[in-house]
Amino acid sequence: FQPASEAKYSHPVDIYENKMGLFFEIACTGLTRDQIDLSLEGDILKISYTKDTDEKCCEVDDCEYIHKGIARRSFNLGYKIASKYDLSQAEAEMENGLLKIYIPFSKESKPKTLKIK
């Protein structure tokens, strides 16, 4: 049993694959595309956001929250991407607070046949 005060919260991410390639959907509620850093380093996909310490708690000055359910925590995600995907062809878009990343299969990963001699 791990007490709630010591629990590490993971950032909400969906990762799935279909016949086109690999897809990531990352929750970025309340963030803009300029606040998120995306980088490719070798076979590593890195996604991060660092919360600004000067950020106001709400749009109105001198507010006091009754309930705060939208977490705008910093996050730093890293994924090692298998060689069957082509990171050089990766695409990203932000839509309705959801960061979507698509990585197609590489041409080398297509099934090959081998003839028996």
Side-chain angles (χ1 to χ4, degrees):
F1 175 73
Q2 186 177 20
S5 62
E6 295 175 12
K8 290 187 179 183
Y9 299 103
S10 62
H11 195 77
V13 177
D14 287 345
I15 304 170
Y16 58 94
E17 177 186 270
N18 67 15
K19 63 182 178 181
M20 295 173 54
L22 185 64
F23 293 83
F24 289 81
E25 292 182 341
I26 302 148
C28 297
T29 306
L31 304 179
T32 66
R33 65 184 59 156
D34 297 331
Q35 294 174 300
I36 301 167
D37 292 320
L38 276 177
S39 66
L40 303 171
E41 296 177 18
D43 60 353
I44 306 292
L45 170 65
K46 292 185 177 184
I47 307 121
S48 63
Y49 161 69
T50 304
K51 184 176 180 176
D52 185 3
T53 54
D54 295 334
E55 193 174 293
K56 285 182 153 187
C57 71
C58 57
E59 297 296 319
V60 182
D61 288 334
D62 195 32
C63 70
E64 184 177 326
Y65 278 101
I66 295 169
H67 174 76
K68 188 170 182 177
I70 300 174
R72 291 185 180 97
R73 294 185 289 269
S74 296
F75 60 86
N76 188 4
L77 309 170
Y79 299 95
K80 183 175 174 79
I81 306 299
S83 61
K84 70 180 189 175
Y85 303 104
D86 188 354
L87 268 174
S88 67
Q89 298 297 312
E91 298 175 5
E93 70 175 327
M94 184 88 143
E95 184 180 323
N96 298 325
L98 198 60
L99 174 62
K100 298 179 180 184
I101 302 170
Y102 161 65
I103 307 169
F105 286 108
S106 67
K107 296 197 184 331
E108 293 82 35
S109 72
K110 294 195 176 174
K112 298 171 185 157
T113 58
L114 194 60
K115 291 191 179 188
I116 302 171
K117 295 182 183 180

